[in-house]
Amino acid sequence: VAKARNRGVAVYDPSEDAHDPDRLALLTELRRAMDQRELVLHYQPKISLASGEVCGVEALVRWEHPQRGMVPPDKFIPLAEHTGLIGPLTRYVLDLALSQAHRWADMGHPLQIAVNLAARNLADPDLADDVLTMLETHQVPAHLLCLELTESAITTEPENALRLLTRLRAAGVSLAVDDFGTGYTSLGQLKNLPITELKIDRSFVGTMTTERSNGLIVRSIVDLARNLGLTTVAEGVEDAETFTALASNGCAVAQGYHMSRPLPPNAFDRWYADTRAV
Ligand code: C2E
Ligand code: CA
Ligand code: CA
Ligand code: CA
């Protein structure tokens, strides 16, 4: 079993080879991990650039593997997508996220929670119903849920995407296009999809203050979003300079290590209490 060191934590790194016995083992283990509730969510705040306040969080899945250590999502989400396990996995994540959203609302500070969908989820005919049922079960109002979809998901499943998104949006769920700027969504598609938010990919945001062209791209996306009536979120904000530049460009929301890394629930609650105490 190959292991790489990452910030002092053992990270599992299986080969990309489809016939790798490690991959099969991983798949069997991923099924077991869901039964054992080894998949957990970390939460990263989204900060309003105008007020500095926390306006929501993104839920990011991690696998707390008893032997392999913390396994990051890019090591098992693609595998889940290729094997159909993504349906159960997405429902597992939604269930955890919505129980957390209920808890925060109960504590008197409701936070909108964003959950990532995979491309294959868009072709799942039961997903919209299941999301709406889960909102009811957890007694979470629909506006406290945001679903993030990548551009490639939208372009590979355009009809399915439209059906699913229209249904969820009509119920009040927010919808974000993730990693915006890296795919091939046409302006026509953007205009016709019932989305509420564009998340500017961190490959542009990370270097917007040092590479002129990336600064221009960020500004163009913010302008485009404004003209389409969409909120802009910049991801991968790693320093104060980028934060300030985004604010002066009229970007609405920032997310990134500069404010906080994704945190486990208890650490997030402490971080959030500290920001409100200031
Ligand atoms: P993403 O949706 O684009 O999520 C943002 C990723 O950027 C996260 O990585 C986050 O930790 C990282 N990040 C946040 N701020 C910064 C920053 O300032 N600088 C840098 N360099 N990185 C930052 P993470 O948690 O490893 O997730 C990777 C990807 O895995 C996600 O990318 C998403 O596509 C996928 N993913 C995570 N959780 C889920 C899930 O529950 N379901 C599905 N389908 N995909 C998920
Ligand atoms: Ca995302
Ligand atoms: Ca993203
Ligand atoms: Ca990404």
Side-chain angles (χ1 to χ4, degrees):
V1 168
K3 275 188 181 169
R5 304 300 293 181
N6 179 9
R7 280 184 250 109
V9 181
V11 173
Y12 177 59
D13 185 25
S15 126
E16 294 301 309
D17 178 4
H19 304 290
D20 186 344
D22 264 4
R23 268 175 68 116
L24 273 178
L26 190 65
L27 185 60
T28 311
E29 282 204 62
L30 187 52
R31 286 205 186 86
R32 183 197 49 80
M34 286 201 273
D35 291 340
Q36 309 282 324
R37 311 296 290 176
E38 283 173 16
L39 302 189
V40 298
L41 297 183
H42 285 192
Y43 299 98
Q44 186 176 37
K46 292 163 117 174
I47 311 291
S48 158
L49 280 154
S51 68
E53 277 167 21
V54 179
C55 52
V57 300
E58 179 173 3
L60 295 152
V61 71
R62 274 101 183 81
W63 181 358
E64 285 179 342
H65 193 287
Q67 283 89 41
R68 287 167 172 168
M70 193 67 94
V71 186
D74 49 305
K75 295 284 184 270
F76 59 93
I77 294 286
L79 186 69
E81 273 209 87
H82 285 120
T83 53
L85 205 57
I86 195 68
L89 192 149
T90 299
R91 287 167 174 81
Y92 176 110
V93 168
L94 278 162
D95 187 61
L96 267 181
L98 291 174
S99 60
Q100 181 64 66
H102 179 88
R103 213 168 298 135
W104 281 325
D106 231 26
M107 289 160 73
H109 49 81
L111 283 173
Q112 189 187 65
I113 200 159
V115 169
N116 292 281
L117 293 188
R120 270 189 74 167
N121 292 139
L122 297 183
D124 181 338
D126 301 323
L127 189 64
D129 277 336
D130 289 354
V131 168
L132 299 179
T133 305
M134 277 189 263
L135 283 166
E136 266 182 49
T137 309
H138 289 282
Q139 296 174 286
V140 172
H143 73 270
L144 289 184
L145 177 66
C146 178
L147 297 174
E148 299 191 359
L149 319 101
T150 60
E151 276 187 272
S152 56
I154 292 166
T155 40
T156 53
E157 293 283 349
E159 283 103 43
N160 291 325
L162 185 61
R163 200 174 316 121
L164 180 87
L165 301 185
T166 304
R167 183 100 201 283
L168 291 169
R169 185 66 204 124
V173 175
S174 292
L175 301 169
V177 178
D178 205 355
D179 302 345
F180 188 73
T182 60
Y184 302 95
T185 326
S186 69
L187 293 180
Q189 270 174 319
L190 272 188
K191 185 171 64 84
N192 289 326
L193 285 170
I195 52 172
T196 52
E197 180 177 307
L198 291 186
K199 294 192 81 175
I200 311 171
D201 192 68
R202 69 174 137 90
S203 61
F204 306 114
V205 176
T207 53
M208 67 175 282
T209 59
T210 53
E211 279 175 45
R212 200 179 121 77
S213 58
N214 285 340
L216 291 172
I217 290 173
V218 170
R219 253 173 51 199
S220 315
I221 297 176
V222 171
D223 289 342
L224 170 72
R226 186 185 306 114
N227 291 330
L228 292 171
L230 306 173
T231 305
T232 33
V233 180
E235 54 177 34
V237 179
E238 294 187 351
D239 53 47
E241 207 186 336
T242 307
F243 190 87
T244 309
L246 286 163
S248 63
N249 282 348
C251 182
V253 179
Q255 183 182 343
Y257 295 167
H258 175 58
M259 289 76 76
S260 171
R261 288 183 174 266
L263 298 169
N266 290 335
F268 179 86
D269 284 343
R270 280 193 300 274
W271 177 91
Y272 189 38
D274 283 349
T275 63
R276 280 173 297 147
V278 181

